Amino acid sequence: MQTELSNTLGVEHAVFGFTPFPAVAAAISRAGGFGVLGAVRYAAADDLARDLDWMQEHTGGLPYGLDVVMPAKKVEGVTEADIEAMIPEEHRAFVERTLDKHGVPPLPEGAAPGWRITGWMEQVARSQLDVAFDYPIKLLANALGSPPGDIVQRAHDHGILVAALAGSPRHARHHQEAGIDIIVAQGYEAGGHTGEIATMVLTPEVVRAVDPLPVLAAGGIGTGEQAAAGLALGAQGVWLGSIWLTTEEAELHSPRLTQKLLAAGPGDTVRSRALTGKPARQLRTEWTDAWDDPAGPGPLPMPLQGLLVADALSRIQKYETGPLLGTPVGQIVGQMNNTRSVQAVFDDLTRGFERAIDRINRIAGRA
């Protein structure tokens, strides 16, 4: 699965694997793909440095990248405490009622506070990049559109390509104008924040909109046949995220959540604002149902929702409260029905890709 872009980056397969887990990202690069480590969960730059050190030791000099969540526009003088103060008490009470209904205990006294969605804040992302630019990363991806211009220039000064996710041709053209090098066309089927256009429609439209920039197809891709379809639509590679969640190297730390993912079908996800305040595809649970119920207060806008529910989600995860337990994941979850190593995923991808190419060659009378 080689393309001009994969050759430029020095990888065997044009498969870009996004993951929050360093062990998965390193395994993707070792398997011949391009591992991309998600940075949003690193509130402390020292923690990111620790895991990038680990990546250096476990990638054997193979290329890898970093994904940040950085807004293009800066809001001056706003702290996390300022944002916390904007959360209505009605919403805080709704969270507690929902947890009480399902018997979710409080965190133990002295337990570390829950993961908070602060990586979107510019000062946090900049501190992450101050660390990351000291490492030989080959790609910087941004999940909130184009990063600020000075960050794009700084990446280019370090010889790092910059990618940005797009859910429409209009977004893609904006990225091109901002000097972005690679566009990730993320379709409706994808896990996490996603737009309303399906991958099959979105990919060729984005390819036409930003030609000659390389495009990666994302959303609903987890097999070699689907990867071949993405390349047939004009993409120079595929961007996979959900498929890695049930690999042996993933660090979900929740057997119950892993079992829910393995048992889920493609119709068991929902595009909901319950997690961050922006529409994000995730497992449908009684938690998402509660927030999407018109009788409730409804989710707050980003970033208020993420800050509001952070500790509640930590409690749900710690106690593995089944009806409420979920995670961002795409519709490809229906094909994630067994636990495999990252290498096994790549073996399946390459075999499926070869089958697809052979099938097309037979149809075209070339075999």
Side-chain angles (χ1 to χ4, degrees):
M1 286 186 280
Q2 292 185 337
T3 65
E4 182 179 350
L5 179 60
S6 65
N7 290 334
T8 297
L9 289 167
V11 294
E12 183 179 358
H13 303 300
V15 175
F16 294 72
F18 164 79
T19 173
F21 307 124
V24 176
I28 290 168
S29 290
R30 292 197 304 270
F34 191 96
V36 182
L37 178 65
V40 70
R41 68 191 181 101
Y42 294 98
D46 289 346
D47 292 338
L48 177 59
R50 177 202 64 213
D51 282 356
L52 288 176
D53 285 337
W54 190 93
M55 290 281 293
Q56 282 293 106
E57 295 172 6
H58 291 82
T59 50
L62 294 166
Y64 63 92
L66 189 73
D67 179 279
V68 297
V69 179
M70 192 172 193
K73 296 180 180 179
K74 183 176 181 178
V75 180
E76 298 283 355
V78 178
T79 67
E80 186 177 332
D82 295 331
I83 297 169
E84 284 269 13
M86 298 168 62
I87 297 174
E89 287 302 319
E90 174 192 12
H91 284 75
R92 295 187 188 278
F94 180 76
V95 167
E96 290 304 319
R97 287 198 304 272
T98 304
L99 296 175
D100 289 345
K101 176 182 176 182
H102 293 274
V104 184
L107 291 173
E109 186 174 349
W115 173 68
R116 306 177 74 74
I117 302 183
T118 54
W120 61 271
M121 298 179 74
E122 179 164 344
Q123 62 266 35
V124 176
R126 284 185 179 275
S127 69
Q128 293 169 347
L129 292 175
D130 286 340
V131 167
F133 286 138
D134 287 335
Y135 292 82
I137 63 173
K138 299 299 182 183
L139 177 71
L140 173 65
N142 190 42
L144 274 187
S146 304
D150 68 298
I151 295 297
V152 175
Q153 184 60 54
R154 193 174 169 192
H156 288 165
D157 289 344
H158 283 79
I160 299 168
L161 296 178
V162 182
L165 275 64
S168 73
R170 177 176 60 84
H171 293 156
R173 284 190 291 269
H174 175 77
H175 296 336
Q176 185 179 38
E177 293 165 0
I180 302 303
D181 305 293
I182 301 168
I183 309 298
V184 182
Q186 179 165 281
Y188 174 81
E189 306 96 322
H193 295 135
T194 184
E196 299 181 349
I197 305 174
T199 304
M200 183 65 71
V201 174
L202 179 66
T203 302
E205 290 200 5
V206 170
V207 168
R208 286 193 296 270
V210 300
D211 184 61
L213 285 188
V215 173
L216 302 178
I221 300 174
T223 69
E225 288 87 351
Q226 290 163 330
L231 299 191
L233 294 172
Q236 286 201 32
V238 290
W239 177 276
L240 279 59
S242 297
I243 197 72
W244 316 112
L245 288 173
T246 52
T247 56
E248 294 170 357
E249 294 88 346
E251 303 161 37
L252 283 180
H253 303 303
S254 172
R256 193 163 192 175
L257 178 56
T258 298
Q259 288 305 312
K260 289 188 74 170
L261 288 169
L262 294 173
D268 292 327
T269 69
V270 64
R271 193 164 162 269
S272 171
R273 294 171 52 218
L275 182 62
T276 68
K278 289 185 67 176
R281 187 170 297 285
Q282 55 203 281
L283 278 181
R284 182 174 181 176
T285 65
E286 292 190 29
W287 177 259
T288 61
D289 286 348
W291 283 104
D292 295 338
D293 188 341
L300 295 168
M302 188 180 189
L304 300 181
Q305 182 72 11
L307 293 173
L308 168 66
V309 304
D311 288 347
L313 295 179
S314 292
R315 291 163 62 181
I316 292 167
Q317 291 162 6
K318 177 176 177 57
Y319 298 110
E320 294 198 275
T321 309
L324 303 178
L325 190 62
T327 186
V329 68
Q331 291 179 330
I332 196 64
V333 70
Q335 298 191 46
M336 295 159 48
N337 47 26
N338 64 305
T339 300
R340 299 173 288 169
S341 67
V342 168
Q343 182 62 61
V345 172
F346 265 88
D347 291 342
D348 288 343
L349 284 169
T350 53
R351 282 192 292 264
F353 185 83
E354 290 169 357
R355 285 194 300 269
I357 298 303
D358 288 345
R359 186 179 302 120
I360 295 301
N361 282 335
R362 287 196 301 272
I363 293 170
R366 300 191 186 100

